[in-house]
Amino acid sequence: MRIEKISAVTLSVASMRDSVRFYRDVLGMEIIYGGEDGCFSSLRAKDVKDPILNLEQGNPVTQWGRMIFYVADVDGFWAYLRGRGFHPESPRDASWGERYFHMPDPDGHELSFARPI
């Protein structure tokens, strides 16, 4: 027996509106269920079937780990987020062969944006 794939990750969020707007409008994900006024929403990266990011209205928990998103251009995405008024950490090269940076989402969940070097 083995795991076949990761279907979804679910994060608890304090404000569905703020979280949906962040993941949809800032990160460019598409809503496939729910939305700003719902208590549960599902989003995914455009042109990708799996995995899905679920947002569930509740009490957010930080310090749980991090979610990693691959992007085409780490430095370009960092500049894009800075231009949108966010303050991500500076990009750096990792010993495991990725260029990446971290920043929190609206609820403090740690996100990484990365690309293999």
Side-chain angles (χ1 to χ4, degrees):
M1 300 300 292
R2 65 180 174 82
I3 300 294
E4 293 180 3
K5 68 178 181 177
I6 295 174
S7 172
V9 173
T10 302
L11 300 176
S12 290
V13 300
S15 169
M16 186 63 66
R17 184 180 69 111
D18 291 347
S19 292
V20 164
R21 287 181 179 180
F22 175 76
Y23 285 99
R24 180 192 62 205
D25 300 343
V26 176
L27 300 188
M29 298 180 80
E30 65 179 340
I31 297 172
I32 57 174
Y33 177 83
E36 292 184 27
D37 298 324
C39 61
F40 188 88
S41 297
S42 296
L43 300 96
R44 67 177 167 216
K46 291 187 179 187
D47 303 322
V48 177
K49 183 180 175 191
D50 298 309
I52 294 169
L53 171 62
N54 293 317
L55 305 174
E56 185 171 24
Q57 189 71 48
N59 297 319
V61 176
T62 59
Q63 303 300 318
W64 58 277
R66 82 177 52 90
M67 189 165 15
I68 302 166
F69 295 99
Y70 270 15
V71 296
D73 177 357
V74 172
D75 295 281
F77 205 78
W78 179 85
Y80 162 76
L81 290 170
R82 296 276 302 171
R84 296 285 307 250
F86 294 97
H87 304 285
E89 297 176 3
S90 294
R92 58 187 174 269
D93 294 337
S95 60
W96 56 86
E98 287 183 333
R99 183 153 181 83
Y100 73 99
F101 66 88
H102 301 307
M103 74 171 261
D105 78 355
D107 287 291
H109 300 116
E110 188 174 40
L111 308 178
S112 288
F113 301 91
R115 187 79 190 164
I117 298 173

